[in-house]
Amino acid sequence: MIPRYSRPQMAAIWTEENKFRIWLEIELLACEALAQLGWIPQHIPQLLRQTLRVRPERIAELEKTLRHDVLAFLSSLTEQLGPEGAYLHFGLTSSDVVDTALAVQLRHAGQLLLEDLEQLEAALLRRAQEFRHTLCVGRTHGVHAEPMSFGLKFLSWREECRRNRQRLLHALEEVSYGKLSGTIGIYTQLPPEVEAYVCERLGLRPEVIATQVIPRDRHAQFVLTLGLIAAMCERIALEIRHLHRTEVREAEEYFAPGQRGSSAMPHKRNPIHAERICGLARLVRSYGSVALENIPLWHERDISHSSTERVILPDATILTDYLLHLTTELVETLRVYPEHMARNLELTHGLVYSQSVLLALVRRGMHREDAYRAVQRAAMQSWESGEDFRTTLWQQPEIRAHFGSEAELQELFSAEHLLRNVDLLFARCGAA
């Protein structure tokens, strides 16, 4: 049994204290670069690194008056220094620090999400292999279609998980850019060497061309990728919710000892985790529209994007982390009932083999339109009367004329032939 969600690492990335630590590191690295270039005294970087400490409470107190978070941060640092404080933030603008730090936070968050995706992918593959040859009915429009392998559901989800992992890797590359190029992004006060030095040590690349901020299409791609991941989680959860329904009950969300499903009805075992996933996935996807709205800004920048990013970026990463953990738990602990699948497969009295009969008639020389009408006529009779489909088929003279015996028709009602390519599909997905 997977333990309940506990992921303090993700939340810690977005704490004010962690943000200020990254801001401080950027300031210190910039001083190191300036000292190497001979712009400031050589002893300053080490002195600052030994002296300066992040003081969140003091920053909050200063911000009440200054109403500017970066200035409050810088004031809290210069209070700890003497004249050497003049070298802090030398030639920088606020966004140099804020945007570069944000890239670091997103990289750290993205790495945790990659780990989550790997765990979900492994869980999906295990369940796919477990039910590789378990027969169930496939459904389209919620209506029985043809027999299939239950393991293929998990295999399909696993492939989507793999694609999302690749998407996230690419999105992380796109968002891993810093900038220390000044107030309008053209290095008016600092040379590009300072930016290159800081970015290299933070594991970032210098933004190719910035304004006062890093272009927000990078962040939008990251958030939209999280929306795709959330949609995958909902796809899995929604299917499980359908299979959990009383009249279907082919699979069921784990119900723990002592758990209760209703304040009024003691019998209830509800798919609460799956429903929670579906609800929260909507929230993650909604952040994508905000991220897109953040791309167009006035001239070289405004701050219309800033307030929303303080909400959507922590929320989207924390929620996606939670969704992936919850979905992995849902998959790992899912109770599966092959006997109910076998029962449901027979609910339509053989109608799920209608295509096999249709194509057999075509192979025997019957015109497709004629064959379709005859098979459909028999199928509709079976739907309405509840008679076995084999019986209603044999009652059609034009169908009987193409089979030597009723036993020959019966041979078409076999799921094994329909599943002959399941192993091929597993091999195609690298799961042979």
Side-chain angles (χ1 to χ4, degrees):
M1 173 70 179
I2 296 175
R4 291 181 64 82
Y5 173 80
S6 177
R7 187 72 155 182
Q9 303 100 309
M10 182 62 83
I13 290 170
W14 300 104
T15 62
E16 290 288 279
E17 185 171 358
N18 185 60
K19 179 182 72 175
F20 294 143
R21 285 199 192 102
I22 302 171
W23 286 7
L24 177 58
E25 183 62 20
I26 292 168
E27 295 282 356
L28 294 173
L29 289 172
C31 285
E32 289 177 9
L34 289 168
Q36 290 182 13
L37 292 171
W39 285 40
I40 66 174
Q42 296 295 309
H43 72 284
I44 291 296
Q46 184 176 0
L47 173 64
L48 297 183
R49 194 171 285 278
Q50 291 174 343
T51 304
L52 294 175
R53 297 293 179 267
V54 167
R55 297 175 175 175
E57 296 82 4
R58 180 56 179 157
I59 296 169
E61 183 181 355
L62 288 165
E63 190 176 355
K64 291 177 182 177
T65 300
L66 298 172
R67 298 193 178 188
H68 193 292
D69 54 354
V70 177
L71 285 176
F73 164 75
L74 291 170
S75 295
S76 76
L77 297 180
T78 55
E79 287 178 343
Q80 304 172 47
L81 300 168
E84 60 274 10
Y87 300 113
L88 272 176
H89 207 64
F90 189 92
L92 300 178
T93 189
S94 297
S95 293
D96 289 333
V97 178
V98 172
D99 277 11
T100 303
L102 184 57
V104 173
Q105 290 174 292
L106 290 173
R107 275 183 61 82
H108 291 168
Q111 290 299 323
L112 293 179
L113 294 175
L114 287 171
E115 294 174 11
D116 295 341
L117 286 166
E118 289 176 1
Q119 292 173 6
L120 177 57
E121 181 184 330
L124 290 168
L125 180 57
R126 283 194 296 271
R127 300 313 299 260
Q129 295 286 22
E130 181 182 355
F131 300 109
R132 183 175 192 154
H133 298 296
T134 299
L135 195 64
C136 71
V137 67
R139 297 172 174 89
T140 58
H141 307 276
V143 179
H144 286 200
E146 285 191 319
M148 64 175 287
S149 154
F150 190 65
L152 289 178
K153 291 181 184 287
F154 294 97
L155 189 64
S156 175
W157 299 333
R158 183 251 191 170
E159 286 304 294
E160 185 173 353
C161 191
R162 292 174 73 180
R163 292 193 297 274
N164 277 324
R165 188 171 184 278
Q166 290 303 310
R167 291 180 182 118
L168 182 56
L169 282 168
H170 183 62
L172 278 176
E173 289 181 8
E174 286 294 307
V175 84
S176 296
Y177 283 81
K179 77 160 290 264
L180 283 85
S181 52
T183 53
I184 54 172
I186 60 172
Y187 308 98
T188 55
Q189 306 301 327
L190 286 180
E193 289 83 356
V194 174
E195 179 183 72
Y197 180 91
V198 174
C199 287
E200 181 182 0
R201 279 150 184 79
L202 293 175
L204 306 175
R205 291 182 291 276
E207 177 56 55
V208 179
I209 180 167
T211 59
Q212 193 176 90
V213 296
I214 292 173
R216 258 41 197 178
D217 61 293
R218 296 190 182 280
H219 305 77
Q221 181 175 354
F222 182 85
V223 177
L224 290 169
T225 299
L226 300 191
L228 286 169
I229 293 170
M232 170 195 66
C233 293
E234 183 175 3
R235 179 189 176 207
I236 295 169
L238 185 63
E239 178 68 12
I240 290 171
R241 286 172 61 191
H242 282 306
L243 298 176
H244 186 119
R245 287 180 298 141
T246 306
E247 58 270 29
V248 178
R249 204 162 174 249
E250 295 181 2
E252 186 178 41
E253 184 177 303
Y254 177 75
F255 194 82
Q259 182 177 341
R260 297 185 180 186
S262 168
S263 63
M265 297 169 284
H267 73 277
K268 295 284 281 180
R269 287 163 38 148
N270 301 326
I272 56 171
H273 285 181
E275 291 176 334
R276 186 181 306 161
I277 290 167
C278 291
L280 292 177
R282 299 169 192 165
L283 189 57
V284 176
R285 288 198 299 273
S286 74
Y287 292 146
S289 65
V290 180
L292 289 171
E293 295 291 339
N294 286 342
I295 295 174
L297 302 174
W298 283 24
H299 305 298
E300 278 58 60
R301 84 163 294 196
D302 58 52
I303 60 168
S304 60
H305 65 290
S306 176
S307 57
T308 63
E309 286 178 351
R310 293 168 191 255
V311 175
I312 68 171
L313 295 179
D315 271 17
T317 51
I318 291 170
L319 274 175
T320 304
D321 182 44
Y322 176 60
L323 284 171
L324 286 167
H325 275 259
L326 199 59
T327 304
T328 300
E329 179 180 344
L330 185 65
V331 168
E332 289 275 25
T333 61
L334 186 70
R335 298 179 66 177
V336 178
Y337 303 111
E339 66 278 12
H340 295 172
M341 296 176 191
R343 176 201 66 200
N344 290 341
L345 195 57
E346 296 301 320
L347 282 178
T348 59
H349 311 290
L351 288 176
V352 291
Y353 299 100
S354 69
Q355 184 176 201
S356 295
V357 177
L358 168 65
L359 295 181
L361 289 168
V362 172
R363 285 194 299 270
R364 285 164 167 77
M366 194 172 183
H367 190 278
R368 182 183 173 87
E369 281 299 311
D370 294 335
Y372 193 101
R373 279 192 292 268
V375 173
Q376 187 184 44
R377 186 163 52 249
M380 295 304 104
Q381 183 179 338
S382 186
W383 272 117
E384 297 297 332
S385 67
E387 292 181 83
D388 189 89
F389 186 43
R390 302 163 186 82
T391 302
T392 60
L393 282 168
W394 197 247
Q395 292 171 356
Q396 309 298 317
E398 61 268 57
I399 293 178
R400 281 202 309 273
H402 289 83
F403 289 96
S405 65
E406 191 171 359
E408 189 178 340
L409 174 64
Q410 293 274 7
E411 291 174 3
L412 299 175
F413 288 74
S414 170
E416 285 67 26
H417 178 69
L418 299 179
L419 301 185
R420 64 191 181 281
N421 289 317
V422 166
D423 288 341
L424 170 65
L425 290 171
F426 271 80
R428 185 184 290 174
C429 296

